[in-house]
Every structure is written in C-alpha cells, then in structure tokens.
Amino acid sequence: MNNVPQTFSQESFQSLLNSCENFLFDCDGVVWNWPKEIPGSIEFINRVIQMGKKCFFVTNNSTRTRKTFSQQLKSFGVKTVTEDQIVSTAWVLAEYLKSQNFKDKVYLVGNPAMVEELDKLNIKHNALEEHKDYVFNSTNYNEIELDPTIKCVSVGIDYEFTFQKMIYASSYLKLDGCNFIATNDDSNLPVPIKNIAIPDAGPILSSIEKTTGRKALVIGKPRQTMWEILCRVHDLDAKKTCMIGDRLDTDILFASNSGIEYSLLVLSGITNESDMWKIDTEKDGKKLPKFYSNSLGDLLKFF
C-alpha cells in the first residue's frame, strides 16, 4: 500500500475505474450526513452502477436491516439497489453464525434489526424479551435463571440496555463453551448537534468485557470478518476492489486489514485533512488511504 495519500488526476481516476470491479461505500459521512445527502454522492454512485460495477454499502450500523438500508438508498435516488448489496453488521452476524454451523441459541444484547436478520436464517435467540422482570437488589442472586441452550452472547447497539441485561450477558459468558460476538465496537454515533454524545455499541460491549474479563470477536469494520463474509457470499476479488469511507480507523483500516487494493478517504464526514496528515506512517500506516478527496461529488468531473 502506498503510504502517501494522493489526490486524483484524470489519469489516476480513470485507472481506478479501469482496475476496479467492486466499490464498497460506507454510508454515514460518505453518502449522507443524516438526514441530508452529501452533494454529488448519489450521482457518483449511479455513474459507477451505470458502468457495470458492483456496488455494496458497508456499515457498522446494526440498528437497520438490509431491507431498511436499501429503501433509504432508493429514497435518496440510488438506482437498482437491492438488499443483497447491503452489508450491515446485523446481517454479517447472522451469516457468520451460519458459517460456523451454529445450532444453539443466542442471548442478544441488541436491537430489532439483529432479531430480524437472525430470524431470516432460522437462528434461535432470546428475542430481547427474557429476564425483563428480574430486578437485581444485591441479595437475590438465586433468582438469576440461565437458559442452558444459550451458547452465544451477541452484542450490538441496544437503546434499552439495562443493568439486568449486563448481569445475564456476563453470567452466560461465565459458562464453558459460550461464544462472545459483537457487531462493532464504535464508541459513539454520528450526530448533527454539537455537544450531544450518543453511545454506540462500544461502551455497552466494554461493560460486559470488563465484567467477564473476556474479549469479544468483533465482526464489524475494521476487522476483516465482514470482508470474509462478503467474499463468501459474492465471490469478490480484493485486488479489484475499492473501499470508500470517511474514517481512518474503521473504513481505511478495514481496507488494509482485508487486503483490499484501493482505498479512498472522503473528507465529507468525520475525518479532516489535517487528521490524515497527523498519522504516523511507521506506526499507523495501515490507516492511510491510497487516495483522498473532499467528497464523491468532487470526483464527478473526472467521468
């Protein structure tokens, strides 16, 4: 990987288009800054689709199903997008468990989208409903009843996370043979209002890891599990793929970890140009993109 990020020339952009069969797009900060489209992003995506390239939308957001994501992209104006083009962590979780031939039951700390994706693959789970009546009072340990069929704890963002859920998730993880999987470990959600902080799955996951002393297998970006599942389902070639994102430590590092040949950082989201140049190339060179641009819209002139 070239550790000196480059801006595009007409020649280098055409070379990218000629070399790549597959384009992976992060959504927040690339396609939209919710709820508004980033100018030119949809036209860029449609141009790439018209050229016959395969496009996938790769997100650590576990709160929406692939159906919901595809509908949102269509409402923004993306043409011919299908559920098969959506790579969300809720879907990756279900596909990963299927790939491991998991036949037992999952204890979910998560959200309805995770429930729906597990249901589609007939993976048994607690439906986010178990143990809601239990309230810990520092003496009623004997009222904690564990389901012996649960062999996996899966953690995603959970808007109804409670101390009781932490107790049960942690207790299951004390049992032999219980798997521990997280959709992502992002610290916070992107929000358009200054001085408002909304936790993502990371703080929830951290509380359970601290309680149990165990580390989860994280399947979202920047880990390569998401790419492995995508390749297994769609048979993609990393050497002919470009990852486009707005975060150095998730999107661009994901490309590096997965062996994806081309990466493009857009400065329309979380990362600004000064952040990129502050990266220590010796220590964190894998976080540097091959190319960068202010936005996808800025690249329309090269088509």
Side-chain angles (χ1 to χ4, degrees), residues 52-76:
K53 309 295 185 181
K54 294 180 181 178
C55 292
F56 299 90
F57 300 89
V58 183
T59 175
N60 274 0
N61 188 331
S62 67
T63 65
R64 299 176 190 146
T65 63
R66 292 189 297 158
K67 180 179 180 180
T68 301
F69 265 113
S70 62
Q71 289 173 339
Q72 288 174 339
L73 287 163
K74 286 177 183 176
S75 72
F76 273 86

Side-chain angles (χ1 to χ4, degrees), residues 37-303:
E37 175 205 347
I38 296 171
S41 62
I42 301 302
E43 185 177 350
F44 180 97
I45 293 166
N46 286 334
R47 293 276 190 96
V48 171
I49 291 172
Q50 288 167 3
M51 294 179 69
K53 309 295 185 181
K54 294 180 181 178
C55 292
F56 299 90
F57 300 89
V58 183
T59 175
N60 274 0
N61 188 331
S62 67
T63 65
R64 299 176 190 146
T65 63
R66 292 189 297 158
K67 180 179 180 180
T68 301
F69 265 113
S70 62
Q71 289 173 339
Q72 288 174 339
L73 287 163
K74 286 177 183 176
S75 72
F76 273 86
V78 177
K79 298 176 181 178
T80 66
V81 64
T82 68
E83 289 184 37
D84 286 341
Q85 293 170 263
I86 309 301
V87 187
S88 68
T89 47
W91 173 76
V92 172
L93 170 64
E95 286 289 339
Y96 176 79
L97 290 170
K98 175 185 174 183
S99 74
Q100 300 301 302
N101 198 33
F102 184 81
K103 300 295 184 183
D104 297 297
K105 188 174 179 181
V106 178
Y107 183 80
L108 275 178
V109 177
N111 55 74
M114 294 169 67
V115 168
E116 185 170 332
E117 295 293 355
L118 290 179
D119 283 344
K120 287 179 180 178
L121 295 183
N122 298 313
I123 296 171
K124 297 186 289 293
H125 54 80
N126 66 320
L128 304 175
E129 294 297 328
E130 291 182 7
H131 317 309
K132 278 192 171 183
D133 295 334
Y134 172 76
V135 178
F136 181 65
N137 63 15
S138 80
T139 62
N140 57 345
Y141 308 101
N142 61 327
E143 295 178 19
I144 300 172
E145 298 179 357
L146 300 182
D147 181 346
T149 67
I150 286 177
K151 300 295 182 183
C152 178
V153 171
S154 293
V155 179
I157 190 167
D158 187 337
Y159 297 148
E160 298 181 358
F161 185 59
T162 63
F163 192 69
Q164 281 63 242
K165 286 186 179 182
M166 193 192 310
I167 289 173
Y168 273 91
S170 300
S171 297
Y172 281 120
L173 289 168
K174 290 291 187 180
L175 301 178
D176 291 338
C178 187
N179 298 295
F180 189 14
I181 305 172
T183 57
N184 61 301
D185 58 359
D186 297 64
S187 59
N188 57 279
L189 295 171
V191 293
I193 303 174
K194 188 178 180 181
N195 299 327
I196 297 296
I198 308 297
D200 203 327
I204 297 172
L205 175 63
S206 179
S207 69
I208 297 170
E209 289 183 332
K210 285 282 188 181
T211 304
T212 61
R214 291 187 59 178
K215 288 290 185 182
L217 168 68
V218 182
I219 59 175
K221 297 176 292 184
R223 282 77 173 182
Q224 67 187 69
T225 306
M226 183 176 273
W227 171 251
E228 291 168 353
I229 294 295
L230 182 58
C231 282
R232 182 177 64 80
V233 175
H234 293 285
D235 192 26
L236 306 183
D237 184 349
K239 298 298 181 184
K240 297 180 180 179
T241 299
C242 178
M243 175 68 207
I244 303 172
D246 71 313
R247 289 177 179 254
L248 297 168
D249 58 353
T250 53
D251 303 316
I252 304 307
L253 185 56
F254 167 70
S256 297
N257 288 341
S258 304
I260 293 172
E261 185 72 14
Y262 302 96
S263 58
L264 165 59
L265 175 74
V266 289
L267 306 175
S268 48
I270 293 293
T271 307
N272 59 48
E273 188 171 352
S274 63
D275 293 331
M276 182 179 68
W277 294 123
K278 290 175 185 175
I279 292 291
D280 184 332
T281 57
E282 293 297 322
K283 181 182 177 182
D284 292 317
K286 291 176 71 175
K287 295 180 181 178
L288 287 173
K290 191 160 191 175
F291 298 103
Y292 71 99
S293 174
N294 286 330
S295 68
L296 292 180
D298 275 9
L299 301 176
L300 292 171
K301 61 191 175 187
F302 293 126
F303 278 96

